[in-house]
Amino acid sequence: MPDASTVPLDSRVRSFLAAVGPAAGPADSPAVDDCFADPFLLADDTGARPVPRAAFLAALPRRAQLFADLGLGPAALTGVTCQRLDDRYVLARTDWEASRVDGGRPVPLASSFLLHDDGEQFRVVLYLNHQGLPQA
């Protein structure tokens, strides 16, 4: 495996997002669990709040069900913009699309992550959803 310092930042962030994104596998996987600080800050249009990692991971299956109830498939990453803030933190702005089960126009979603970089791996310390899901 290449040393993290030799891999371009964009590539490292994309690999990280593949591990935590909707297609990553079970939320109780140790690989997903290790990707979030405990607690981390979750922010959306209702405000920001600290969330225990276990509570967030336990909620992921409900989120998948919510997508299904709205007629949406899992979100797929469509874009990433990264900015190294200092030696330890990276800001990643992401764009996603959730396909519609009925074949309609995909739903665009956006989120940002503040990632702690220990030199080996990233860990989410802030997860910001830029908008809520559309209603059915």
Side-chain angles (χ1 to χ4, degrees), residues 57 73 82 101 119 133:
L57 296 173
C82 307
V101 175
L133 290 174

Side-chain angles (χ1 to χ4, degrees), residues 69-95:
D69 291 348
L70 292 171
L72 300 173
L77 185 65
T78 59
V80 178
T81 305
C82 307
Q83 179 183 359
R84 182 163 288 286
L85 302 176
D86 60 23
D87 289 346
R88 291 293 175 195
Y89 289 94
V90 173
L91 180 62
R93 166 87 158 104
T94 64
D95 294 301

Side-chain angles (χ1 to χ4, degrees), residues 37-127:
D38 190 22
F40 67 97
L41 193 61
L42 178 65
D44 57 23
D45 60 350
T46 65
R49 59 213 161 274
V51 175
R53 179 175 47 209
F56 176 74
L57 296 173
L60 290 178
R62 289 190 303 272
R63 180 176 165 86
Q65 184 59 52
L66 174 62
F67 269 65
D69 291 348
L70 292 171
L72 300 173
L77 185 65
T78 59
V80 178
T81 305
C82 307
Q83 179 183 359
R84 182 163 288 286
L85 302 176
D86 60 23
D87 289 346
R88 291 293 175 195
Y89 289 94
V90 173
L91 180 62
R93 166 87 158 104
T94 64
D95 294 301
W96 307 77
E97 279 191 349
S99 61
R100 293 190 183 270
V101 175
D102 66 6
R105 177 175 286 191
V107 175
L109 302 167
S111 55
S112 292
F113 298 87
L114 181 59
L115 305 173
H116 178 262
D117 182 3
D118 68 7
E120 299 278 323
Q121 68 179 40
F122 292 120
R123 185 162 284 129
V124 174
V125 295
L126 168 70
Y127 174 31

Side-chain angles (χ1 to χ4, degrees), residues 20-33:
V20 300
D28 60 356
S29 154
V32 173
D33 181 46

Side-chain angles (χ1 to χ4, degrees), residues 1-9 12 84 117 119-121:
M1 174 176 227
D3 180 337
S5 66
T6 65
V7 178
L9 182 61
R12 286 186 62 213
R84 182 163 288 286
D117 182 3
E120 299 278 323
Q121 68 179 40

